[in-house]
Amino acid sequence: MTEQIYKGLAGVVADHTAVSKVNPESNSLLYRGYPVQELAAELSFEEVALLLWNGELPSAAEKEEFRGFERSHRALDPRVRAAIDLLPLDCHPMDVGRTAVSVLGANHPLSEDSSPEAELIKAKELFAAFPAVVAYDQRRRRELELVEPREDLDYSQNFLWMTFGEEAPEEVVDAFRVSMVLYAEHSFNASTFTARVVTSTLADLHSAVTAAIGALKGPLHGGANEAVMHTFEEIGIDPAETREAAAARAKAWMEQALAEKRKVMGFGHRVYKSGDSRVPTMKQALDAMVEYYGRGELMGLYDGLEAAMGEAKNILPNLDYPAGPTYHLMGFDTEMFTPLFIAARITGWTAHIAEQRANNALIRPLSAYNGPDERHL
Ligand code: COA
C-alpha cells in the first residue's frame, strides 16, 4: 500500500482552534471573531493580548488590572541579563531571544505548574518581560547602556523608549502598535504548531515558547522580515535617490533574481494565495513612516519589487514585506526585526498553548519508510 503523503502537512487540518480564523478566500483574519483590521484601528496591543488569552474583550477592570501587572514586570531580570552578556555580539538576536526565554523558564517558580492559572501568569509575565530583552540586545550591540522601563508609558511607547532611550513620536508609536497587533496571531503557522507539538508532550510553557522561537527564526517563516531588508540593502538604499529611479533599479533586480530562480523573501504564503489579509493595514503604517521620515525612495524600492514580482509570477507580498522597512525606518537594526515578531507572537503562542493543554492529544504523525529493505549484519 502506498500511503498518501502530505508534504509539509499542506492541506492537513490538524485540530480545532478558537483563537483565530484565517480565511484565504475572503483574505480575512479574525482574532476570537474580530477582524484584525478593526483591532489594529481601535485597540492597544495590551487589549489585543487579553482578547487572545481570554477569548473576550477585556472589561475596564481587567484592563486596569493588567495595566498594573504588565508595567510592573518589565524590568530585565538580572539572570537574563547575565546570560545575554555571555552571548557573543555577533550571534543572531533570535538566539538571544531563545536563550532569554529559556533562562526565564529555568528560574520560574511556576515552571512545572501547568494549571490554567499558572500558565496565564507565565504568559503575561513573558509578554511584559520580552521587550527589555530586545531593547537591551540592540543597545549592547551598539555599545549603549541599558535603559530602564518607564511605568508611565504604555507597552509600545515603553518598548521604543527602552530601545532608543528617548520618547518616540505618536506616529511612530502607532505604527509600532499596529505591527504588534498584526503579528500577534495567525492560526497553525510553523512556530505556533511547534509550540503546540511541544505542549502536547506535557512539557512546560517556556519550553514550548523556546521551541517556537527556533521555528520562527527561519527565513521561510518569521526570518522573512529581516530578509526583506537584506534584499533592500542588496539592491542598495540611497535616501538621495528619486522614487522612480529606486523603483526602476528594484524592478531590474527582481527580474534578475527571478531569472536566477531565487526565492525572494516577503512574497508568497502557504495559506493566502490571493493576498495576505494583514498587508493593507501594515502598508498604511509603512506609508505613515515613509511620510514621517521623508523617505519616498524606500517606497520606490518597495513598489518596484512588488510590481516586478506581480508581473512575473503573480505572487503577492506577505506581512513581512511592509513590516521590514517599517522597522528599519523606526531605527531598529535589521537583525532585530524577527525578535520584534517574537514579542508580538508570544500572545498567540501562549493562547494556543493554553488551548492545546485544555484538550490535549500527543501530536505524533506517521511516516512512510523509504530506506533500505530489512538487511542483516
Ligand atoms: N519568491 C519566488 N518564488 C516564489 C516565492 C517567492 N517568495 N514564493 C513562492 N514562489 C514560487 C515557488 O518557487 C514555486 O514555484 P514553482 O512551482 O515554479 O517551483 C511556487 O511559487 C510555489 O511555492 P512553494 O514554496 O512551493 O509554496 P509554499 O506554499 O510552500 O510557500 C512560502 C509558502 C511562504 C514558504 C513561500 O511563498 C516562500 O518561501 N516565501 C518566501 C518566504 C517568506 O516570505 N515567508 C514569510 C511567510 S509569511
Side-chain angles (χ1 to χ4, degrees):
M1 186 187 108
T2 52
E3 295 95 341
Q4 168 82 41
I5 307 283
Y6 296 93
K7 191 86 178 154
L9 299 185
V12 171
V13 180
D15 205 343
H16 288 100
T17 182
V19 183
S20 68
K21 179 177 180 184
V22 180
N23 189 339
E25 278 78 44
S26 57
N27 280 356
S28 73
L29 171 61
L30 309 177
Y31 292 176
R32 302 285 189 186
Y34 295 99
V36 71
Q37 294 80 358
E38 289 180 25
L39 300 173
E42 303 278 341
L43 301 189
S44 68
F45 185 42
E46 295 89 314
E47 289 168 294
V48 172
L50 289 170
L51 170 68
L52 288 168
W53 289 320
N54 300 333
E56 295 297 335
L57 292 171
S59 65
E62 283 167 336
K63 271 195 270 188
E64 197 49 36
E65 196 251 312
F66 186 50
R67 182 189 155 99
F69 180 97
E70 193 269 319
R71 293 179 189 216
S72 59
H73 285 83
R74 287 173 173 171
L76 188 63
D77 185 316
R79 293 163 297 195
V80 174
R81 184 177 181 172
I84 294 175
D85 288 340
L86 286 174
L87 300 176
L89 286 170
D90 61 357
C91 77
H92 197 282
M94 287 299 278
D95 301 347
V96 172
R98 197 186 59 225
T99 303
V101 172
S102 194
V103 171
L104 284 169
N107 285 290
H108 205 291
L110 298 175
S111 175
E112 302 304 325
D113 182 348
S114 296
S115 63
E117 299 74 26
E119 293 280 273
L120 190 55
I121 291 171
K122 288 185 277 183
K124 287 178 175 174
E125 285 182 9
L126 205 47
F127 174 90
F130 198 75
V133 172
V134 182
Y136 177 59
D137 194 27
Q138 166 147 325
R139 292 186 71 80
R140 78 182 185 119
R141 287 164 198 268
R142 294 183 176 191
E143 298 184 357
L144 297 169
E145 288 301 310
L146 171 101
V147 173
E148 295 292 345
R150 270 180 45 190
E151 291 200 14
D152 58 321
L153 302 177
D154 76 6
Y155 175 96
S156 302
Q157 290 168 328
N158 178 62
F159 203 138
L160 295 164
W161 160 257
M162 286 192 298
T163 309
F164 301 109
E166 54 189 46
E167 279 185 46
E170 212 177 293
E171 294 88 337
V172 176
V173 173
D174 206 51
F176 186 78
R177 179 192 61 78
V178 166
S179 77
M180 290 288 115
V181 172
L182 295 175
Y183 265 136
E185 160 57 15
H186 210 227
S187 78
F188 278 26
N189 56 85
S191 59
T192 301
F193 191 62
T194 301
R196 292 190 72 127
V197 169
V198 175
T199 305
S200 84
T201 71
L202 303 184
D204 62 286
L205 177 141
H206 288 87
S207 293
V209 173
T210 304
I213 293 173
L216 189 71
K217 185 180 177 186
L220 295 190
H221 189 13
N225 62 8
E226 169 187 339
V228 167
M229 214 54 228
H230 288 312
T231 299
F232 278 43
E233 283 155 4
E234 189 182 322
I235 298 167
I237 300 172
D238 175 5
E241 196 176 27
T242 66
R243 191 168 175 148
E244 293 69 29
R249 278 194 311 113
K251 247 182 139 206
W253 182 93
M254 179 64 97
E255 282 156 11
Q256 172 83 18
L258 293 178
E260 291 166 5
K261 303 230 171 303
R262 281 175 70 173
K263 246 196 180 172
V264 184
M265 302 302 154
F267 290 90
H269 200 274
R270 172 59 69 75
V271 180
Y272 298 115
K273 295 300 175 195
S274 51
D276 180 327
S277 61
R278 303 160 295 180
V279 165
T281 312
M282 194 62 227
K283 173 73 174 19
Q284 271 177 17
L286 171 60
D287 286 340
M289 289 301 88
V290 165
E291 193 179 322
Y292 179 79
Y293 289 104
R295 291 288 302 276
E297 103 290 348
L298 264 188
M299 289 319 287
L301 296 179
Y302 186 101
D303 293 339
L305 289 175
E306 183 181 0
M309 180 63 107
E311 278 162 32
K313 299 195 74 138
N314 198 23
I315 296 177
L316 298 165
N318 57 52
L319 174 59
D320 294 314
Y321 190 56
T326 302
Y327 290 146
H328 171 79
L329 285 170
M330 289 174 178
F332 286 99
D333 294 336
T334 302
E335 288 71 25
M336 304 311 298
F337 296 0
T338 318
L340 295 172
F341 191 160
I342 301 179
R345 192 56 66 86
I346 279 172
T347 57
W349 289 332
T350 51
H352 278 273
I353 290 169
E355 188 176 65
Q356 179 70 34
R357 252 197 236 298
N359 191 7
N360 190 46
L362 177 70
I363 299 173
R364 202 298 186 190
L366 298 176
S367 55
Y369 178 70
N370 66 355
D373 285 341
E374 180 171 336
R375 49 186 170 170
H376 298 277
L377 294 173

